[in-house]
DNA sequence: ATACAATATTGCAATATTACGATTATTTCT
DNA sequence: AGAAATAATCGTAATATTGCAATATTGTAT
C-alpha cells in the first residue's frame, strides 16, 4: 500500500486532483506567484527568489510542467518558463461550478 | 530532508497550498463531488460510494476537515458532513485573481 | 447494563515526496 | 577547442502519504 488507487476514480477526478496536487506545495505556489509578477523567467531567477537549491527548484518546475500548469520554451541556453493560462482556467471553472451548485442549498 | 520548508514561505502561500494539497487526491475529489450531489451525508455513505475501507475514508475526511474544506456536525451517533462553502470560495477567488492578472499580458 | 451502529484511532507496511550534493548535457562566448 | 552559464538528471537520506486490519470510542436502543 501507499500508492494511490487512481484506477478506481474517473479521469476527471484524477485530472483535477493532479492539478491540485501540483499546487499543494508552498514552493510551487511561490513559483506561480513569481511567474505572475514577472510574466516569464528562467529557472535561475526562481532559484535566486526561493530559499531552495537549484535541483529542488528544477524538480518543482518539472512537476508544475507535467501537471500542465506552466510551459517552458528554450531560449538560448536558458529555458523560459511561464504560466499556462488554460490550466488555471480549467481548475477555476471547476471551482466556480462547485460554488454554483452549492448556492442552491444549505447544509448542516 | 523530506520535510517541506513551510517556514520559508508566506502564510498566504501555505494556506493556498494546504487547501490545494487536501484536494490533491482523487478520493478526496470524489468525496467533495459526492457531498455536492447529496448536499450532506455521513461517513458510512461515502464508504459505500468509494472503493476504500472505512478507516481510509475516515482519514481522508479528517484531512479535508483540517484543511477547512468540509464541516462535520454530530447527529446522534453519526456525523453529518458537508462542504464548507467559504473554503471553496477562497481558493476560487485566488484563481480568479490569477486569471485577471494573466489577462494583461501574454507569454512565451 | 448489554448489544449495536457509526466513526475515530492505532499501528504498520508499501510507496511517494522533498531536498540537495554531485554529475551530466547543452548552449554561448571567448 | 576550452571555459562559462544554465538547467536537467542521478543517487540518496529524511520524511510524508496511502491504505487497511484491528481496536477503541461514542451514542442509541433494547
Amino acid at each position: 500500500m501507499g500508492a494511490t488507487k487512481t484506477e478506481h476514480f474517473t479521469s476527471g477526478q484524477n485530472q483535477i486532483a493532479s492539478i491540485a496536487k501540483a499546487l499543494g506545495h508552498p514552493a510551487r505556489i511561490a513559483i506561480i506567484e513569481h511567474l505572475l509578477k514577472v510574466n516569464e523567467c528562467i529557472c535561475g531567477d526562481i532559484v535566486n527568489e526561493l530559499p531552495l537549491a537549484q535541483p529542488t527548484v528544477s524538480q518543482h518546475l518539472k512537476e508544475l510542467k507535467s501537471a500542465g500548469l506552466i510551459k517552458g520554451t528554450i531560449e538560448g541556453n536558458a529555458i523560459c518558463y511561464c504560466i499556462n493560462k488554460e490550466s488555471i482556467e480549467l481548475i477555476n471553472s471547476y471551482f466556480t461550478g462547485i460554488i454554483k451548485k452549492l448556492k442552491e442549498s444549505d447544509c448542516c
Side-chain angles (χ1 to χ4, degrees), chain A residues 1-2 14-16 18 22 24 27-28 36 38 55 60 68 73 77 80 84-85 90 94-95 102 106 108:
Chain A
M1 298 120 216
N14 280 307
Q15 198 194 1
I16 294 295
S18 93
R28 294 194 286 267
L36 196 62
V38 300
H60 283 308
T73 48
N77 60 349
C80 178
N84 179 19
K85 190 153 66 177
L90 179 74
Y94 180 77
F95 290 124
L102 278 175
D106 221 11
C108 43

Side-chain angles (χ1 to χ4, degrees), chain A residues 2-80:
Chain A
T4 298
K5 293 181 154 184
T6 39
E7 69 278 11
H8 291 312
F9 303 98
T10 70
S11 64
Q13 286 165 344
N14 280 307
Q15 198 194 1
I16 294 295
S18 93
I19 295 177
K21 189 177 185 179
L23 292 168
H25 192 290
R28 294 194 286 267
I29 293 291
I31 290 172
I32 292 289
E33 291 183 353
H34 183 69
L35 281 174
L36 196 62
K37 200 167 62 182
V38 300
N39 195 41
E40 61 185 42
C41 73
I42 65 174
C43 176
D45 292 340
I46 297 166
V47 173
N48 291 334
E49 195 75 14
L50 300 191
L52 296 170
Q54 180 267 319
T56 308
V57 170
S58 187
Q59 197 173 282
H60 283 308
L61 286 170
K62 189 181 176 184
E63 278 168 62
L64 285 170
K65 196 176 170 194
S66 80
L69 281 158
I70 61 172
K71 290 182 289 190
T73 48
I74 298 166
E75 266 186 23
N77 60 349
I79 294 172
C80 178

